Amino acid sequence: MRVSRSFLPVLKESPSDAQIVSHKLMLQAGLVRQTAAGIYAWLPIGYRVLRKIEQIVREEQDRAGAGELLMPTLQSADLWRQSGRYDAYGPEMLRITDRHKREMLYGPTNEEMITAIFRDDVKSYRDLPRTLYHIQWKFRDEVRPRFGVMRGREFLMKDAYSFDLDEAGARLSYYTQMLAYLRTFKRLGIQAVPMKAASGPIGGDLSHEFIVLAPTGESEVFYDAAFEEFDWARDSLDYSDEAGLHGLFEQVSTTYAATDETHDEARWADVPQDRRRTGRGIEVGHIFYFGEKYSSSMGLKVSGADGGMVVPHMGSYGIGVSRLVGAIIEASHDDNGIVWPEAVAPWKVGLVTMRGDDAASIAAADDLYARLNAAGVETLYDDRDERGGVKLGSMDLIGLPWQVIIGPRGLAAGNVELKNRRTGEKLELPIDAVVGHLTA
Amino acid sequence: MRVSRSFLPVLKESPSDAQIVSHKLMLQAGLVRQTAAGIYAWLPIGYRVLRKIEQIVREEQDRAGAGELLMPTLQSADLWRQSGRYDAYGPEMLRITDRHKREMLYGPTNEEMITAIFRDDVKSYRDLPRTLYHIQWKFRDEVRPRFGVMRGREFLMKDAYSFDLDEAGARLSYYTQMLAYLRTFKRLGIQAVPMKAASGPIGGDLSHEFIVLAPTGESEVFYDAAFEEFDWARDSLDYSDEAGLHGLFEQVSTTYAATDETHDEARWADVPQDRRRTGRGIEVGHIFYFGEKYSSSMGLKVSGADGGMVVPHMGSYGIGVSRLVGAIIEASHDDNGIVWPEAVAPWKVGLVTMRGDDAASIAAADDLYARLNAAGVETLYDDRDERGGVKLGSMDLIGLPWQVIIGPRGLAAGNVELKNRRTGEKLELPIDAVVGHLTA
């Protein structure tokens, strides 16, 4: 992508109205713009990151055997009356009346709708178990939206729903999603710790939050250092390995981790002093097992193997996709700007000419840009006739993993500079070696 | 994808409440389910098609130099007051009041929001021209939603917006999008004819609709057979070739095509009798040039090259992405079900065992399924223990381009049957030749 043809509005000053660093950086680097309280437009850089996160979430859901569909944003109030939640939900539900005076709402979550869809088409035990998910915009009318996309009103969520014939099956679906979450966060380049949680308005009695550590986190967290040391997302574990999934859950359950909401001083005292980790955390995922709560209230039942009727056990599994953009920045930035993990970086490489008015530099950059594109290396090319220092400052702010810097002096010797954004390390190398170096 | 692990509810009977063939087939083949009047959930097959169409639209927008972003679904009423459209829009606009009594709406289109975003960040003529687009859900509160996703209330639209310094530049942006549309529809496997149109509530004086022929279309259309004969989307034309773009527009403008709304009997009489085509058509795209309408009312201006202020000229360009699913089915089906153009088919191949209880058939199908996946051939594998005839009927209904049918008799000789869904042609070939045949 050429900067001269894109829409990448970088602000000179750090915006003073943003309270947390991720929000400041998202505004300054031109990832988002607020269009109403708690509602954001995703500009090209921000939307690229959002889509990369979404795709990793999707791939790990697919790998875990979940099927993707898409439910609409607006729902009928009647659907929520079937579960009893329409009156119970409170003012965070955005209620809408259409032109025919029908009561609608903007979905804050989809337990009711997926239960109704499943109920209307699935009649036999042979069609279970199933886990279905979608990645769709939700709305919660927060009384005081803040922290940018971390606590917005319109937000993108992945929500999955599992249907099983009994509790044992439902627990296995729960463990499967737990592993999928550990793998998803690992691929995103962040450390997310599963912590036993209260179920809240979803209901049920088995629930974990996935928490990313960040100084600006909303809750205090306590966990055993084992969560930093062990490869919880281990690739060797197959989803068809039931004993392995049980073992993973057992291990997660017996290793201490809790938010202030569920913190247990007695169990905490058992964690050796040098293994205790505390800090603040941001919730980026939440999983629930709630048994027959919705299937029973909404009349979902299927014929069983023995001819009787069975009420399926369900769970739901959320990941805050848009919130993750902010959470990743909270966990990965420095004084100069964002430092993207490579998996979610909007582009891998930023290409900069120090002198945008130097014909030799432009020709060399144009040629290298073409070769990087041909090699499939995602590149943002700052081809503007702008001072080199301004362009380098923007690149640091935007935070791509690598910068290729072309200056007249080095170019005269056939060289360019390659900078690693995270470490700051710089390397001078022949311009013809750049593509090889970045694809090695 | 294995049918036994997915959610592909196929109905035995054609639904009686659907009035047009695409709606019937989308319900029967399990592409969508209605969740409220004019609002649909996209089940796995339907969502795969929707995403394929979306991706082709995206690639052609990117290729035409448009930049992608994502604007939110909900907008502030104040934004629409700036253009004067809040009061003018009428009951199709879904108006919403939030918990703080602020007036909001579910966006039916985004001229106001993109103008405000551009206005707040772009200050100089050097940042023009630009075309920005997003693919986002919209809502129009149709008084009588019908025909399934063809005239739903919540629908997915690609809308692009161009910003230029003058009318000449804006016309070039308009011609660029016109070519991008011709290429998009060609890749989607459908014939869409650009027809001069009235601008309606968007405003402005230059506008074309893109119409797909279908007997159930909403308007009568009249066009010169040249639109069927000529390669309007010709690949040889580069977007940087201004003369070529002007020439394309000239050719489109002088070749007769009109809906009943703009039909001109005098010009029609000039079309030779044997070249006159009439029929019914569905609108799948609509492009507008409206000059300074929004930039002027919303205070968008940039500094010009000579230091004075310039009010940009704008255009907007819509494609009905979700409607296209229905339109493609209207244009491509037979008595047995859907016949997908390969570019948008949910999978390329359907793999069927005639005897789901025959161990040799299962082993051969499992192996072939693994080999097709390894070769990157998207395959739907009906691995259920169901009667062969039922499975073949479902496959015809779902309409994948190819079927690979494994029966015990052929298998004994090492052979399987390959069926072309569109032509019905069947070929018996060695099972080891299938992957090669489908990737040739």
Side-chain angles (χ1 to χ4, degrees), chain B residues 122-355:
Chain B
V122 174
K123 304 298 174 194
S124 161
Y125 70 97
R126 295 192 302 166
D127 292 329
L128 274 68
R130 284 294 186 284
T131 297
L132 301 172
Y133 75 98
H134 75 157
I135 302 173
Q136 177 62 296
W137 293 88
K138 312 285 191 296
F139 199 92
R140 290 185 193 158
D141 202 357
E142 298 269 355
V143 65
R144 238 187 329 277
R146 61 204 148 127
F147 304 153
V149 302
M150 299 284 279
R151 185 157 251 173
R153 296 197 292 167
E154 187 171 329
F155 61 98
L156 187 60
M157 186 163 97
K158 185 284 299 181
D159 37 329
Y161 303 90
S162 62
F163 299 87
D164 281 274
L165 292 171
D166 54 27
E167 183 180 339
R171 283 188 168 264
L172 205 60
S173 296
Y174 186 94
Y175 306 160
T176 296
Q177 284 285 321
M178 178 175 270
L179 178 56
Y181 275 43
L182 291 166
R183 287 181 172 163
T184 301
F185 295 125
K186 185 182 178 185
R187 279 186 65 188
L188 293 174
I190 54 177
Q191 172 122 40
V193 177
M195 303 193 178
K196 191 160 169 46
S199 291
I202 303 273
D205 58 3
L206 174 60
S207 176
H208 285 81
E209 287 177 285
F210 289 77
I211 303 277
V212 174
L213 295 190
T216 48
E218 68 241 343
S219 53
E220 206 178 347
V221 297
F222 308 83
Y223 65 93
D224 189 315
F227 280 107
E228 294 166 357
E229 296 157 2
F230 192 69
D231 179 16
W232 300 85
R234 52 195 181 281
D235 242 353
S236 58
L237 180 51
D238 190 275
Y239 284 109
S240 63
D241 176 1
E242 294 191 14
L245 289 170
H246 278 276
L248 172 70
F249 178 73
E250 186 64 25
Q251 194 180 9
V252 167
S253 302
T254 52
T255 310
Y256 193 81
T259 64
D260 41 15
E261 220 182 352
T262 55
H263 186 48
D264 177 341
E265 285 292 350
R267 282 193 60 201
W268 186 232
D270 291 341
V271 178
Q273 194 95 41
D274 64 333
R275 303 184 57 78
R276 292 186 201 164
R277 298 285 182 276
T278 62
R280 300 200 68 81
I282 300 162
E283 179 199 320
V284 290
H286 204 153
I287 61 178
F288 304 89
Y289 162 62
F290 44 73
E292 304 176 6
K293 180 177 159 75
Y294 297 94
S295 41
S296 155
S297 62
M298 296 184 67
L300 163 61
K301 46 185 186 294
V302 299
S303 63
D306 60 2
M309 299 304 284
V310 179
V311 177
H313 286 239
M314 294 174 56
S316 73
Y317 314 91
I319 289 182
V321 177
S322 49
R323 162 175 277 207
L324 271 166
V325 180
I328 291 170
I329 296 172
E330 289 288 327
S332 188
H333 66 272
D334 63 19
D335 289 347
N336 296 322
I338 302 167
V339 181
W340 291 114
E342 189 152 331
V344 300
W347 294 271
K348 179 173 180 172
V349 179
L351 175 62
V352 175
T353 48
M354 290 304 289
R355 288 273 306 275

Side-chain angles (χ1 to χ4, degrees), chain A residues 6 73 99 130 141 154, chain B residues 6 73 99 121 130 141 154:
Chain A
S6 188
T73 62
R99 69 190 291 172
R130 284 292 188 285
D141 202 357
E154 186 169 330
Chain B
S6 189
T73 61
R99 68 191 292 173
D121 270 305
R130 284 294 186 284
D141 202 357
E154 187 171 329

Side-chain angles (χ1 to χ4, degrees), chain A residues 237-251:
Chain A
L237 180 51
D238 190 275
Y239 284 110
S240 64
D241 175 1
E242 295 191 15
L245 289 171
H246 278 276
L248 172 70
F249 178 74
E250 186 64 25
Q251 194 180 7

Side-chain angles (χ1 to χ4, degrees), chain A residues 4 6 33 42 47 51 58 68-70 73-74 91 98-100 106 121 130 141 143 153-154, chain B residues 4 6 33 42 44 47 51 58 68-70 73-74 91 98-100 106 121 130 141 143 153-154:
Chain A
S4 68
S6 188
R33 290 293 179 261
W42 294 78
Y47 192 46
R51 281 174 49 86
R58 171 177 294 122
E68 187 173 14
L69 44 68
L70 186 72
T73 62
L74 296 198
D98 76 7
R99 69 190 291 172
H100 294 302
Y106 199 121
D121 270 305
R130 284 292 188 285
D141 202 357
V143 64
R153 296 198 291 168
E154 186 169 330
Chain B
S4 67
S6 189
R33 290 294 180 260
W42 293 77
Y47 192 46
R51 282 174 49 84
R58 170 177 294 122
E68 186 173 14
L69 44 69
L70 186 72
T73 61
L74 295 198
D98 76 6
R99 68 191 292 173
H100 295 301
Y106 199 121
D121 270 305
R130 284 294 186 284
D141 202 357
V143 65
R153 296 197 292 167
E154 187 171 329

